[in-house]
Amino acid sequence: MKYSHFLSLILIASTVFVGCATKEEVAASEQNATMHSAMVHDCLCTAKPLVKKQGCHCDAPVLTPYEDIRINVVGQGVSPVNTTSPAQAYALAKRAAIADAYRLLAEKVKGVRVEGEDLIKNMMVTRSTIRTYVNSMIRDATIQETTFKEGLCEVQMQVVLSHYQFVR
Amino acid sequence: MRGSNASRSLSLSICTLSIFSTLILADDYRIGYRAVVKDALLVDEKLNISHSMTPCIGKAESYTVFNTTSRDLSKIIKDNRDKFYNFLVHQNLHVKYNSKTVNSISTTLTTLTFPTECFKVDFKGNLAKITLVK
């Protein structure tokens, strides 16, 4: 009985002393907090020139009033087998390549929704399904270059993101 | 005095006539486009052109000019297909993409849609100016 009282006293005392912090510790923790908030502010990467800080991701393109972001993609499309002329094959392949380029632009600007599903039967994967979706609207994309070689058409497209487009 | 009045009325009537003739020559069309690409192959493409039942009301957004003698917009676009598609890709295009990969075999479907918009077409001599109105 005596031992249990003694133990409980020790426990209470240790909890009280561990829970409390000295003035120096409080000051250090406050300094840490201000440093963290300063780092978070720097992580906004709005300053020019962009300075890479530890823990920040300033390498990723950030839209600033000073410079535009140019997104370049190369879309691919193939011509059908049963075309009447090379011109028709080129035209059809180019349409397909433009659609592919638009999809790539939408993927880069807005992102992709991905869903996966694995069916496991008797400890073996019998069916693995991955579905991806992109749904977006692209404006002011420009065709930079078009190449057509051996039934494959490649279209290089560019979209420019400016700060004023989002401000207005 | 009388002569200056006469010349003023003549210039006014010429201006009115030119404005009316421009209005008469300008046609309003509704144009929509859709392309479906399956596994990098164009499987369906539709370009819908029709006369607008109501006048185009709004602000002129962008335009393209074709050198043609025809007054038929379908024919003009058919003759200058590449230029028109280059004009279309600058506008708002809606992209819808689905891909499905089952046991490492992938199928993709991309739908590119230009929602039906009102276009004002002005004919002047050998030129046809197509303006998107929004």
Side-chain angles (χ1 to χ4, degrees):
Chain A
M1 192 68 181
K2 275 179 189 175
Y3 281 118
S4 65
H5 277 290
F6 181 68
L7 274 172
S8 60
L9 268 170
I10 287 173
L11 269 172
I12 289 161
S14 63
T15 318
V16 166
F17 284 112
V18 167
C20 290
T22 59
K23 277 183 183 175
E24 289 81 20
E25 281 173 342
V26 169
S29 68
E30 276 176 359
Q31 197 181 355
N32 272 342
T34 41
M35 273 173 68
H36 179 71
S37 67
M39 204 173 80
V40 167
H41 180 72
D42 285 354
C43 279
L44 293 173
C45 306
T46 48
K48 195 180 163 90
L50 299 177
V51 183
K52 194 187 174 189
K53 301 258 177 186
Q54 199 176 5
C56 297
H57 300 284
C58 290
D59 288 346
V62 176
L63 202 57
T64 63
Y66 311 106
E67 57 188 327
D68 300 336
I69 295 176
R70 288 170 195 278
I71 298 169
N72 286 290
V73 292
V74 178
Q76 293 181 321
V78 290
S79 56
V81 182
N82 51 349
T83 49
T84 50
S85 67
Q88 190 193 19
Y90 170 72
L92 294 173
K94 193 180 172 185
R95 299 280 183 282
I98 289 172
D100 190 42
Y102 262 97
R103 189 259 304 177
L104 290 166
L105 284 173
E107 278 186 3
K108 281 196 173 185
V109 174
K110 202 180 174 188
V112 190
R113 180 178 285 179
V114 184
E115 283 177 11
E117 191 183 299
D118 283 345
L119 179 68
I120 297 163
K121 202 172 179 182
N122 297 330
M123 304 295 280
M124 273 173 66
V125 178
T126 51
R127 188 183 164 91
S128 173
T129 312
I130 303 160
R131 287 191 183 90
T132 61
Y133 308 93
V134 177
N135 201 347
S136 183
M137 196 180 73
I138 303 282
R139 184 190 165 92
D140 280 345
T142 49
I143 297 170
Q144 299 289 308
E145 200 182 336
T146 308
T147 53
F148 184 65
K149 203 176 178 183
E150 294 169 3
L152 175 75
C153 186
E154 287 190 329
V155 171
Q156 190 187 342
M157 284 187 87
Q158 188 184 66
V159 72
V160 182
L161 299 177
S162 300
H163 190 261
Y164 79 91
Q165 291 172 328
F166 296 92
V167 172
R168 69 180 176 181
Chain B
M1 189 69 184
R2 190 177 285 176
S4 69
N5 272 345
S7 66
R8 194 179 290 166
S9 64
L10 185 71
S11 61
L12 195 70
S13 60
I14 287 168
C15 276
T16 318
L17 264 174
S18 64
I19 288 164
F20 271 107
S21 64
T22 314
L23 283 174
I24 290 161
L25 284 176
D27 287 336
D28 292 346
Y29 287 88
R30 295 214 172 248
I31 301 175
Y33 173 74
R34 195 182 75 149
V36 181
V37 177
K38 191 171 190 283
D39 300 333
L41 203 71
L42 188 77
V43 289
D44 185 39
E45 188 181 37
K46 263 182 191 166
L47 179 71
N48 295 317
I49 304 167
S50 67
H51 270 285
S52 180
M53 302 289 274
T54 54
C56 291
I57 297 164
K59 206 172 73 180
E61 285 263 314
S62 53
Y63 68 90
T64 181
V65 180
F66 297 111
N67 198 354
T68 179
T69 49
S70 174
R71 291 286 180 266
D72 181 11
L73 186 66
S74 303
K75 193 180 177 304
I76 294 166
I77 289 174
K78 199 179 169 187
D79 293 344
N80 304 278
R81 196 170 276 187
D82 258 17
K83 195 179 174 184
F84 184 72
Y85 284 122
N86 283 342
F87 169 65
L88 267 193
V89 298
H90 278 280
Q91 316 309 323
N92 290 348
L93 278 182
H94 193 263
V95 192
K96 199 174 174 189
Y97 169 78
N98 294 316
S99 92
K100 192 177 177 185
T101 311
V102 180
N103 296 336
S104 304
I105 297 162
S106 182
T107 52
T108 65
L109 189 77
T110 312
T111 313
L112 202 64
T113 315
F114 174 71
T116 306
E117 296 281 1
C118 207
F119 286 83
K120 202 175 261 299
V121 185
D122 296 302
F123 297 105
K124 202 171 187 182
N126 282 354
L127 298 173
K129 183 182 173 188
I130 301 176
T131 312
L132 171 63
V133 179
K134 271 187 176 177

